[in-house]
Amino acid sequence: FGHFEFVLKHEKFRSLREVPNYPMALCPSNPDSLTAVCMMIDQMMELHQRIRWFHIGADEVYHIGICDKCKKRMAENSLTPQQLFFVHCKAVLNYIKMKYPSITAIMWDDMMRHTELPVLLESGLTGLVEPMVWHYLTQFLLPPDIWDKFSKVFPNIWFASAFKGATGSNVY
């Protein structure tokens, strides 16, 4: 969804971009986007048939709700960009749950980190995914209620860190 440059940089997939000039984010309102993601999931699952966990990414989706398709969809369905994010993630996660029921899906937490508990509960992600909280800054800046909030929505919470380079390419 975010950090999708490795796909969206190619002319063949340009139409799937949220912002035409930037290949960072997938447009969640283009039906071909979900098709492309599901095909990629199937390809990965075919290559790694014994895996137990599958990380869908979904971090740093800064471009969302910008294109005309998304604006129209949000207006017609009274959605916020955050809700649009959840709708797309839920579609991807439902696909994994339906086609690969033994797989536990994981996703980065940052796009839901500051979400109010009622909105997070309404997202439909409960039972579909386990969030992986990541924090790479030198000062600990996570919201103080993150563990309490996430534990009311998700049965398991993962945590990721980085040992070098996360705050600059040449940082040790």
Side-chain angles (χ1 to χ4, degrees):
F1 201 168
H3 293 296
F4 218 57
E5 298 93 339
F6 71 102
V7 174
L8 299 178
K9 68 181 179 181
H10 300 287
E11 190 61 36
K12 178 180 178 180
F13 299 105
R14 186 180 193 89
S15 66
L16 302 182
R17 294 178 182 179
E18 178 68 13
V19 179
N21 292 333
Y22 301 105
M24 281 78 84
L26 191 68
C27 171
S29 298
N30 184 330
D32 293 335
S33 292
L34 184 60
T35 301
V37 169
C38 291
M39 287 176 62
M40 290 174 64
I41 290 168
D42 290 341
Q43 290 170 2
M44 291 299 297
M45 296 304 269
E46 186 176 327
L47 291 171
H48 304 280
Q49 295 179 13
R50 293 189 302 236
I51 66 168
R52 295 173 39 202
W53 299 276
F54 191 96
H55 201 305
I56 68 164
D59 67 321
E60 299 182 334
V61 185
Y62 300 132
H63 298 140
I64 186 165
I66 297 170
C67 77
D68 291 339
K69 287 178 188 169
C70 285
K71 286 179 182 176
K72 181 179 178 190
R73 184 177 180 192
M74 288 189 306
E76 289 174 352
N77 297 288
S78 299
L79 297 173
T80 65
Q82 186 176 46
Q83 290 168 321
L84 186 61
F85 170 83
F86 288 140
V87 168
H88 178 73
C89 289
K90 185 177 174 185
V92 171
L93 294 164
N94 275 327
Y95 178 79
I96 293 170
K97 187 92 167 164
M98 177 205 62
K99 191 151 183 192
Y100 307 101
S102 64
I103 298 297
T104 299
I106 303 166
M107 69 184 277
W108 296 119
D109 80 294
D110 63 302
M111 294 302 294
M112 54 187 166
R113 184 177 292 171
H114 298 286
T115 305
E116 296 293 327
L117 180 60
V119 176
L120 199 51
L121 287 167
E122 291 172 7
S123 71
L125 299 184
T126 303
L128 294 176
V129 69
E130 297 178 359
M132 183 174 283
V133 178
W134 62 271
H135 192 280
Y136 302 157
L137 301 177
T138 54
Q139 292 187 349
F140 206 69
L141 299 172
L142 291 172
D145 68 338
I146 191 169
W147 309 114
D148 185 51
K149 179 174 51 178
F150 279 1
S151 68
K152 290 178 180 165
V153 181
F154 305 105
N156 297 302
I157 303 167
W158 297 65
F159 189 82
S161 65
F163 75 99
K164 69 175 188 173
T167 56
S169 60
N170 61 352
V171 175
Y172 292 102

